[in-house]
């Protein structure tokens, strides 16, 4: 590497851009391709005499190019009566251009240095969301309502700017972004929109012509179509009717963008202005805006947008205003973005008020954004607890306990609190850690990057002011000691820093790969302390403070800031370069706690320097929330794989321990608390893993299981061989150990985990339950053995020949998985029960095709009596095994060798009522109580 004094940060940055440009042609560049591109660019830079930090170039390019990200999942309603598919056809048009998106994607890769795959996934994600909206050219009146679930500080703003860019390209004429409830957040979002979508600085623009270009507007080689804004990035640049009239933009031609505060009067002003300027009377004193398709993007959609009033009362003001804006347009799409969707999924989906229209339940889609592999989120910071209580993901060693602050700022304090005179040692240590982090980042070549620390201990402004004074006092002590360089105080300060660096930072950095965390010795850090300390300032961030986080103005200066605040730091506001957080604010709800976690996000090259100082109570709460949120997202993804929609799938969220609620009571008014276990449940496989040798291993499990049962139990032949292979009075341990301990499910099958079923069986067995199992391997009887059925063939299970059961593949099937609606044939659920039990089940009212099924039937089982149905399912048709019939449909060639015929192993387990069964408490929405249809069209 060149001498540090000769290195040019500008040349290094330009070299990184050149390498990324060279790698742009690869979807997933290999390490060999990355190395070749880096070496080629460094050679050119050397020939030109540029002073480049080659180590930084290699590390940054590798970290950017090797980041991975999963595709978006979730629930969609593609009912053709409510949604007309349109985007695929538009994208296939070779003459269609996407100028807003093209320049934004290039800007993200070259200037924001987003990983290549992340930009690709963002492209796929925004295309998916746009496709679930309606075509702006669709005739008639329509509305779409959807929700996109991301992670805190994971890049949702970049996502919805990408959506807005594509929507403008597709023909949406008015794009309104609801950017939180505070002026700061609205201005911050407008700045991002200016750079990523508009391409000019709205704060310096009063006229249509002569705009000051920024961001995408400075991209060379791209078309720059006209796009207008009626709001600016000034703090007071929200929508104003007079300003809008002065600009004189005609809505319906060039796309127009508004970034507005989520405030009743602002939203109403937009509605009134659009209605007065472009509305047509529709009777009853109302008007509709025709032929101006609206895209309404609601950032932090769970905050202020939710109707928290009781059913029958008028909606809350902001909720009413948002619905009013949507209803003012003939064509409107609403997309909410949030990391904390709990309140949104508990909205009553059936509300359709004559005056205010439908509520904001995401009836059209609920999609989950998976963060990139370099995301510094809750699962990495707090770990993820598995269903067996063990860590599924180990937490990073970055949290530090606070146990000395309660006498300084007590829990539950009032606004009148006079804080303790002495700042706790834990806060002093946190500030020391920030100073060291700033110096270390400078030693790693990041002198010009902004660096931040968060101090969030109270929601009261007067208390925040006292905290800020003490923080400033301690910072001045550090600055004076370091500036003096000699003397007792300076040496004492350096000794303190050295001890913290060697005992905390050096040991922590060992947990990170060398390429992600450059190793530094104390002397390297010490050399940068004077400059690092001198650039730190303290800022109060609350509604009364004149101080502001001047990130935009301080870019490239190496500014460092300690932000002391409360409410303003808990929603949406990004703390750039956040390294150390000191957090005491105890909250009782999932959403509030997660949103206060400003420490989540992306920390390239300095994750190991990050610290979260907080209490054990808060760490435990965050770990619980992380588990509950991960489960909710997995459920949504799995139900999406099964083809469910938000209107058909009942969503649930795991309740917290005492003192921790999912969200505020008035936000979950339509949620119901239930306790769930396998008691009275039917667990069945509907997603089958086709990868590797999983199907083959499950067939082996079934063969060995049947042989084990034959060795210990006598077959029941009373019903004839058409019923398949049947064993009765099987023990709980044989079921758990020989089948569920060995069976493998698909990664998407989160709700039917064999290990959890086995655990439940053993727990109930210890209580004297589930001791009498009936096991049946189903034989799909064929009446006409001469017919040729592409899905009907024989297979071997041990020495037994059986016919497979056919289950139709759903559209969500892929080459790696087969997805079916249900595996159970409803008539089979009562096959082990007495006539009296069946009659009681019928009288309870749940039946399909005249046979009892469902929970009312399972209630009739005694606590010993359980049923395991195993279905050999037809293997998906492969191209090589198929022919086209006279109608052009693909059919499978008859398989006539049972010995080699493949099949999938599916199961359904009917559990009896177990009054003493443990379970987990959940809050569920209204749809959860509607059981899925039992009708699969196969009653063998």
């Amino acid at each position: 590497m060149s001498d540090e004094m000769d290195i040019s940060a500008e040349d290094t940055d330009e070299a990184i851009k050149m390498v990324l440009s060279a790698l742009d042609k690869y979807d997933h560049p290999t390490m060999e391709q990355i190395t070749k591109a880096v070496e080629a660019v460094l050679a050119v830079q050397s020939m030109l005499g540029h002073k480049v930090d080659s180590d930084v170039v290699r590390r940054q390019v590798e970290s950017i190019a090797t980041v991975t990200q999963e595709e978006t999942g979730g629930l969609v309603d593609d009912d053709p009566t409510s949604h007309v598919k349109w985007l695929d056809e538009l994208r296939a048009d070779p003459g269609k251009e996407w100028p807003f998106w093209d320049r934004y994607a290039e800007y993200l890769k070259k200037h924001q240095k987003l990983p290549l795959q992340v930009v690709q996934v963002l492209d796929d994600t925004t295309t998916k969301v746009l496709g679930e909206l309606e075509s702006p050219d669709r005739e008639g009146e329509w509305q779409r309502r959807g929700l996109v679930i991301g992670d805190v500080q994971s890049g949702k703003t970049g996502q919805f700017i990408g959506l807005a860019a594509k929507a403008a390209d597709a023909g949406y004429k008015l794009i309104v972004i609801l950017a939180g409830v505070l002026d700061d957040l609205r201005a911050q979002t407008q700045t991002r929109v200016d750079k990523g979508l508009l391409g000019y600085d709205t704060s310096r623009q009063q006229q249509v012509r002569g705009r000051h270009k920024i961001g995408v507007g400075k991209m060379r080689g791209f078309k720059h179509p006209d796009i207008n804004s009626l709001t600016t990035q000034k703090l007071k640049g929200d929508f104003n009717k007079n300003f809008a009239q002065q600009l004189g933009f005609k809505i319906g031609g060039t796309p127009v963008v508004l970034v507005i505060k989520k405030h009743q009067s602002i939203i109403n002003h937009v509605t009134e202005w659009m209605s007065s300027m472009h509305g047509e009377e529709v009777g009853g004193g109302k008007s509709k805006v025709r032929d101006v398709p609206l895209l309404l993007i609601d950032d932090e959609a769970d905050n202020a947008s939710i109707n928290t009033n009781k059913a029958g009362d008028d909606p809350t003001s902001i909720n009413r205003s948002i619905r009013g804006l949507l209803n003012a347009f003939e064509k409107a799409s609403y997309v909410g973005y949030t990391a904390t969707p709990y309140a949104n999924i508990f909205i009553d989906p059936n509300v359709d008020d004559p005056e205010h229209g439908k509520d904001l339940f995401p009836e059209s889609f609920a999609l989950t954004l998976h963060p990139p592999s370099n995301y510094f989120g809750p699962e990495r910071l707090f770990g993820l607890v598995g269903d067996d209580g063990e860590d599924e993901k180990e937490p990073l060693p970055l949290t530090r306990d606070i146990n000395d602050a309660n006498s300084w700022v007590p829990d539950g304090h009032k606004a009148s609190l006079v804080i303790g005179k002495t700042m706790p040692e834990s806060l002093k240590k946190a500030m020391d850690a920030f100073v060291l982090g700033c110096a270390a980042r400078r030693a790693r070549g990041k002198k010009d990057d902004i660096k931040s620390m968060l101090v969030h201990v109270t929601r009261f402004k007067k208390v925040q002011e006292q905290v800020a004074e003490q923080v400033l006092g301690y910072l001045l002590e550090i600055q004076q000691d370091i500036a003096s360089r000699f003397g007792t105080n300076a040496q004492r300060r350096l000794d303190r820093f050295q001890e913290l660096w060697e005992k905390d930072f050096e040991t922590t950095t060992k947990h990170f790969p060398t390429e992600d965390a450059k190793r530094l010795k104390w002397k390297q850090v010490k050399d940068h302390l004077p400059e690092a300390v001198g650039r730190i300032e303290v800022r109060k961030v609350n509604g009364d403070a004149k101080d502001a986080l001047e990130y935009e103005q301080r870019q490239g200066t190496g500014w460092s800031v300690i932000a002391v605040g409360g409410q303003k730091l808990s929603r949406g506001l990004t703390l750039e370069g956040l390294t150390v957080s000191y957090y005491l604010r105890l909250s009782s709800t999932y959403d509030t706690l997660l949103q206060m976690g400003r420490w989540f996000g992306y920390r390239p090259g300095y994750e190991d320097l990050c610290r979260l100082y907080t209490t054990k109570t808060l760490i435990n709460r965050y770990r619980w929330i992380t588990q509950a949120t991960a489960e909710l997202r997995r459920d949504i993804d799995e139900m999406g794989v099964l083809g469910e929609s938000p209107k058909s799938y009942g969503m649930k969220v795991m309740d917290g321990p005492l003192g921790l609620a999912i969200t505020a009571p008035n936000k979950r008014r339509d949620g119901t608390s239930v306790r769930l276990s396998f008691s009275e449940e039917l667990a069945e496989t509907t997603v089958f893993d086709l990868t590797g040798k999983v199907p083959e291993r499950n067939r082996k499990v079934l063969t060995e299981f049947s042989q084990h049962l034959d060795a210990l139990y006598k077959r029941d032949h009373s019903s004839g061989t058409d019923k398949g292979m049947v064993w009765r009075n099987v023990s709980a341990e044989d079921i758990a150990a020989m089948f569920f301990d060995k069976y493998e499910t698909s990664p998407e099958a989160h709700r039917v985990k064999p290990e959890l079923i086995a655990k439940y069986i053993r727990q109930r067995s210890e209580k004297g339950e589930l001791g009498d199992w009936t096991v049946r391997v189903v034989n799909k009887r064929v009446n006409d053995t001469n017919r040729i059925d592409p899905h009907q063939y024989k297979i071997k299970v041990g020495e037994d020949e059986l016919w497979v059961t056919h289950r139709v593949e759903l559209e969500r099937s892929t080459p790696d998985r087969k997805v079916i609606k249900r595996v159970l044939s409803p008539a089979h659920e009562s096959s082990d029960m007495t006539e009296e039990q069946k009659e009681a089940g019928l009288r309870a009212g749940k039946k399909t095709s005249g046979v009892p099924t469902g929970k009312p039937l399972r209630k009739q089982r005694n606590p010993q009596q359980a049923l395991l149905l195993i279905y050999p399912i037809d293997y998906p048709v492969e191209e090589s095994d198929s022919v086209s019939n006279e109608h052009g449909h693909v059919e499978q060639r008859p398989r006539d060798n049972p010995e080699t015929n493949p099949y999938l192993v599916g199961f359904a387990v009917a559990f009896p009522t177990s009054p003493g069964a443990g379970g987990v408490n959940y809050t569920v929405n209204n749809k959860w109580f509607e059981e899925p249809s039992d009708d699969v069209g196969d009653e063998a």
Side-chain angles (χ1 to χ4, degrees):
M1 187 177 72
S2 305
D3 183 82
E4 188 174 320
M5 296 301 293
D6 295 330
I7 289 172
S8 165
E10 186 176 335
D11 288 346
T12 300
D13 190 59
E14 185 61 30
I16 293 169
K17 291 179 184 178
M18 291 174 65
V19 177
L20 293 176
S21 293
L23 294 172
D24 204 20
K25 58 187 175 183
Y26 305 113
D27 289 335
H28 302 286
T30 64
M31 287 304 299
E32 182 181 0
Q33 291 165 338
I34 293 170
T35 300
K36 285 183 178 179
V38 169
E39 289 176 350
V41 169
L42 290 178
V44 171
Q45 294 290 317
S46 178
M47 289 174 58
L48 295 173
H50 293 169
K51 305 298 184 180
V52 174
D53 190 330
S54 56
D55 288 345
V56 169
V57 173
R58 285 192 176 91
R59 284 200 307 271
Q60 285 210 24
V61 169
E62 286 177 8
S63 66
I64 291 170
T66 57
V67 168
T68 59
Q69 186 173 10
E70 295 180 35
E71 295 180 357
T72 301
L75 310 162
V76 298
D77 177 19
D78 284 334
D79 184 346
T81 62
S82 60
H83 177 53
V84 178
K85 290 184 177 293
W86 62 284
L87 189 55
D88 288 345
E89 183 179 350
L90 183 64
R91 284 166 56 84
D93 180 357
K96 173 61 183 173
E97 295 183 332
W98 300 84
F100 289 114
W101 166 256
D102 288 342
R103 67 179 190 175
Y104 180 57
E106 192 72 6
Y107 173 74
L108 293 177
K109 286 185 282 189
K110 299 306 186 324
H111 291 272
Q112 299 299 102
K113 298 190 184 70
L114 256 64
L116 305 179
Q117 195 193 357
V118 170
V119 177
Q120 181 59 55
V121 172
L122 190 149
D123 188 3
D124 296 339
T125 300
T126 48
T127 296
K128 187 177 182 68
V129 176
L130 182 65
E132 292 303 329
L133 306 182
E134 219 56 60
S135 167
D137 295 326
R138 180 182 169 184
E139 295 296 327
E141 188 166 347
W142 46 260
Q143 283 193 7
R144 294 286 281 178
R145 284 172 165 78
L147 182 69
V148 179
I149 304 167
D151 287 270
V152 177
Q153 300 284 93
S154 66
K156 295 187 299 300
T157 304
Q159 283 276 345
F160 67 65
I161 291 174
L163 174 64
K166 287 185 176 177
D169 284 328
Y172 274 87
K173 299 304 181 183
L174 180 62
I175 300 170
V176 178
I177 300 172
L178 301 177
V181 297
L182 300 171
D183 287 324
D184 310 59
L185 181 55
R186 192 214 65 82
Q188 184 185 76
T189 303
Q190 178 83 57
T191 301
R192 295 280 302 277
V193 171
D194 286 3
K195 290 181 176 181
L197 177 60
L198 300 174
Y200 58 88
D201 184 347
T202 52
S203 69
R204 299 173 62 178
Q205 177 58 46
Q206 295 294 325
Q207 304 297 325
V208 176
R209 301 186 184 280
R211 290 166 171 165
H212 178 72
K213 294 180 180 180
I214 60 173
V216 294
K218 299 172 72 174
M219 299 290 292
R220 296 178 180 176
F222 288 87
K223 290 186 176 181
H224 297 284
D226 199 15
I227 184 169
N228 296 318
S229 176
L230 296 178
T231 54
T232 79
Q233 60 176 270
K234 292 180 180 179
L235 199 60
K236 299 299 182 182
D238 212 328
F239 178 79
N240 180 285
K241 285 192 288 186
N242 293 331
F243 179 64
Q245 288 171 349
Q246 288 173 14
L247 291 177
F249 295 144
K250 176 177 173 56
I251 310 296
T254 297
V256 174
V257 179
L258 286 75
V259 181
I260 65 175
K261 199 160 61 263
K262 201 183 300 187
H263 190 278
Q264 174 192 7
S265 62
I266 300 292
I267 301 170
N268 288 344
H269 286 160
V270 173
T271 304
E272 292 162 5
W273 182 75
M274 283 299 302
S275 297
S276 64
M277 295 287 290
H278 302 279
E280 296 180 12
E281 291 293 330
V282 293
K286 295 185 178 181
S287 65
K288 283 279 184 184
V289 178
R290 310 281 188 192
D291 299 322
V292 180
L294 165 70
L295 171 58
L296 180 59
I297 295 172
D298 186 358
D299 191 18
E300 305 292 348
D302 64 310
N303 185 35
S305 303
I306 304 298
N307 176 25
T308 56
N309 286 345
K310 295 179 181 178
D313 292 349
D314 279 344
T316 48
S317 59
I318 294 177
N319 176 269
R320 183 171 64 247
S321 298
I322 294 173
R323 290 156 71 176
L325 177 57
L326 290 168
N327 293 332
F329 286 76
E330 181 185 43
K331 306 173 183 188
S333 291
Y334 168 89
V335 185
Y337 281 79
T338 183
T340 48
Y342 319 112
N344 305 83
I345 68 174
F346 293 135
I347 297 171
D348 187 346
N350 300 314
V351 170
D352 192 355
D353 187 88
E355 175 68 19
H356 307 292
K358 292 183 177 181
D359 205 346
L360 301 180
F361 178 76
E363 62 179 11
S364 303
F365 58 88
L367 301 177
T368 57
L369 301 176
H370 297 280
S373 56
N374 64 335
Y375 173 62
F376 184 74
E379 293 182 12
R380 296 189 67 202
L381 190 55
F382 300 108
L384 187 60
V385 180
D387 296 293
D388 57 0
E390 299 296 324
D391 279 337
E392 216 170 274
K393 289 184 181 178
E394 287 285 342
L396 292 171
L398 302 177
T399 57
R400 301 292 181 266
D401 291 343
I402 298 175
N403 54 21
D404 60 352
N406 201 49
S407 60
W408 178 60
V409 178
D411 291 341
H413 62 270
K414 304 297 184 182
S416 58
L417 174 72
V418 176
I419 67 174
K421 293 182 179 180
T422 304
M423 197 167 75
E425 178 63 23
S426 58
L427 180 50
K428 293 179 180 179
K429 187 173 286 187
M431 291 179 63
D432 291 348
F434 179 57
V435 171
L436 289 170
C438 292
R441 289 179 64 186
R442 294 179 65 85
R444 288 176 177 172
K446 295 298 181 182
K447 297 180 180 179
D448 298 333
D449 287 5
I450 289 175
K451 305 158 186 78
S452 300
M453 176 179 176
L454 163 69
V455 178
H456 187 165
V457 300
T458 177
R459 65 187 176 93
F460 299 113
K461 296 172 186 175
K462 294 294 185 184
V463 182
Q464 292 168 19
E465 290 173 4
Q466 298 174 62
V467 172
E469 287 178 10
Q470 291 191 2
V471 167
L472 178 59
Y474 185 68
L475 174 63
L476 292 174
E477 288 179 22
I478 297 174
Q479 291 175 332
Q480 290 167 4
D481 289 347
I482 297 299
S484 67
R485 304 188 66 172
F486 303 105
T488 305
N489 288 344
Q491 189 57 50
R492 187 182 300 118
R493 184 71 62 185
L494 288 173
D495 290 345
R496 177 183 171 93
F497 279 144
Q498 182 176 0
E499 181 181 12
L500 183 60
W501 178 261
E502 292 176 347
K503 288 186 177 180
D504 188 330
F505 284 86
E506 287 189 11
T507 56
T508 300
T509 299
K510 291 178 181 178
H511 292 268
F512 293 78
T514 306
E515 60 270 20
D516 295 337
K518 182 180 178 181
R519 275 43 175 171
L520 297 170
K521 292 298 183 182
W522 165 242
K523 185 181 183 310
Q524 295 170 282
V525 178
K526 178 184 174 183
D527 290 344
H528 288 276
L529 277 175
E531 190 71 20
V533 171
R535 291 179 180 268
I536 299 175
E537 298 179 20
V538 177
R539 288 283 188 271
K540 291 173 289 185
V541 186
N542 59 46
D544 294 339
K546 294 180 180 179
D547 292 346
L549 297 178
E550 305 155 4
Y551 291 138
E552 194 62 29
Q553 298 89 331
R554 301 290 193 117
Q555 289 294 328
T557 65
W559 186 52
S560 299
V561 60
I562 300 176
V564 181
Q567 197 62 31
K568 276 198 176 183
L569 298 175
S570 66
R571 273 279 180 180
L573 199 64
T574 298
L575 294 172
E576 192 167 329
L578 182 59
T579 309
V580 176
S581 301
Y582 189 88
Y583 180 72
L584 290 176
R585 178 102 172 263
L586 192 66
S587 177
S588 60
T589 61
Y590 292 12
D591 43 12
T592 302
L593 278 173
L594 268 185
Q595 290 292 349
M596 288 180 181
R598 299 292 97 192
W599 45 82
F600 304 127
Y602 300 94
R603 307 288 183 262
Y606 64 100
E607 277 189 352
D608 63 309
L609 305 177
C610 294
R611 296 292 183 271
L612 170 59
Y613 285 79
T614 190
T615 65
K616 286 185 177 179
T617 299
L618 280 164
I619 289 174
N620 289 335
R621 290 191 174 190
Y622 274 109
R623 282 173 65 83
W624 184 280
I625 295 167
T626 300
Q627 181 183 1
T629 305
E631 182 182 87
L632 171 64
R633 294 167 66 103
R634 288 197 303 256
D635 278 357
I636 291 174
D637 282 350
E638 182 183 356
M639 290 299 97
V641 167
L642 295 177
E644 297 286 355
S645 74
K647 292 188 292 186
S648 66
Y649 169 54
M651 290 179 268
K652 68 182 191 302
V653 184
M654 183 168 61
D655 288 339
L658 187 64
L660 182 61
I662 296 168
T663 188
N666 57 1
K667 285 187 176 182
R668 53 185 168 89
R669 198 185 307 280
D670 292 307
T672 304
S673 294
V674 297
R675 187 169 180 81
L676 302 181
S677 74
F678 285 112
S679 175
E680 279 180 30
E681 291 300 316
L682 182 87
E684 58 178 324
T685 47
T686 52
V687 185
F688 298 88
D689 190 346
L690 306 180
T691 61
K693 294 186 178 294
V694 173
E696 181 182 329
R697 289 197 292 268
N698 282 339
R699 290 195 289 272
K700 183 180 179 182
V701 169
L702 175 55
T703 297
E704 293 178 351
F705 182 47
S706 64
Q707 291 170 345
H708 177 80
L709 295 182
D710 275 338
L712 296 179
Y713 304 94
K714 184 178 179 180
R715 290 261 194 112
D716 181 357
H717 297 290
S718 61
S719 300
T721 57
D722 285 344
K723 294 296 182 184
M725 307 158 68
V726 181
W727 299 267
R728 299 189 188 276
N729 306 119
V730 179
S731 74
E733 184 56 29
D734 283 329
I735 298 291
M738 298 306 297
F739 187 74
F740 288 111
D741 281 351
K742 300 179 179 182
Y743 183 92
E744 297 179 51
T745 53
S746 170
E748 288 93 351
H750 303 294
R751 300 183 311 146
V752 186
K753 292 186 177 180
E755 62 269 26
L756 297 186
I757 295 175
K759 180 179 179 180
Y760 177 79
I761 291 171
R762 289 186 172 106
Q763 286 176 342
R764 301 322 304 159
S765 177
E766 290 176 359
K767 301 297 182 181
E769 299 175 359
L770 301 185
D772 181 9
W773 283 79
T774 296
V775 179
R776 176 182 170 188
V777 182
V778 175
N779 182 30
K780 166 62 175 163
R781 182 177 58 191
V782 178
N783 295 322
D784 182 1
T785 56
N786 293 321
R787 69 174 179 161
I788 296 177
D789 187 335
H791 303 288
Q792 204 71 57
Y793 57 90
K794 282 188 174 182
I795 52 96
K796 288 288 288 284
V797 178
E799 298 302 316
D800 290 79
E801 282 194 4
L802 303 173
W803 289 92
V804 296
T805 297
H806 171 52
R807 289 289 181 260
V808 176
E809 290 185 58
L810 300 180
E811 289 184 2
R812 302 282 174 155
S813 297
T814 70
D816 290 339
R817 68 181 182 231
K818 174 169 178 168
V819 184
I820 63 176
K821 185 177 182 182
R822 297 208 67 184
V823 75
L824 176 76
S825 291
H828 295 166
E829 190 178 355
S830 60
S831 59
D832 65 324
M833 301 178 74
T834 66
E835 291 303 319
E836 290 78 7
Q837 288 175 318
K838 293 178 185 178
E839 284 298 323
L842 277 172
R843 287 195 301 271
K846 177 66 177 175
K847 55 184 179 295
T848 298
S849 303
V851 300
T853 186
K855 283 193 176 184
L857 177 68
R858 293 190 283 278
K859 285 180 180 288
Q860 311 310 316
R861 293 181 174 276
N862 67 63
Q864 293 288 336
Q865 184 184 17
L867 172 67
L868 170 59
L869 295 164
I870 300 176
Y871 291 85
I873 302 294
D874 59 313
Y875 211 85
V877 175
E878 296 181 11
E879 198 73 30
S880 59
D881 294 330
S882 61
V883 294
S884 295
N885 63 18
E886 59 183 339
H887 302 294
H889 296 144
V890 174
E891 290 186 349
Q892 197 168 358
R893 290 192 178 97
R895 292 163 165 164
D896 52 12
N897 187 355
E899 293 280 355
T900 59
N901 282 341
Y903 62 93
L904 301 172
V905 178
F907 68 78
V909 193
F911 286 103
T913 301
S914 180
V920 179
N921 292 324
Y922 288 85
T923 297
V924 303
N925 69 1
N926 294 342
K927 287 292 177 182
W928 186 87
F929 292 98
E930 300 175 14
E931 288 200 64
S933 168
D934 293 302
D935 195 358
V936 296
D938 188 335
E939 299 301 327

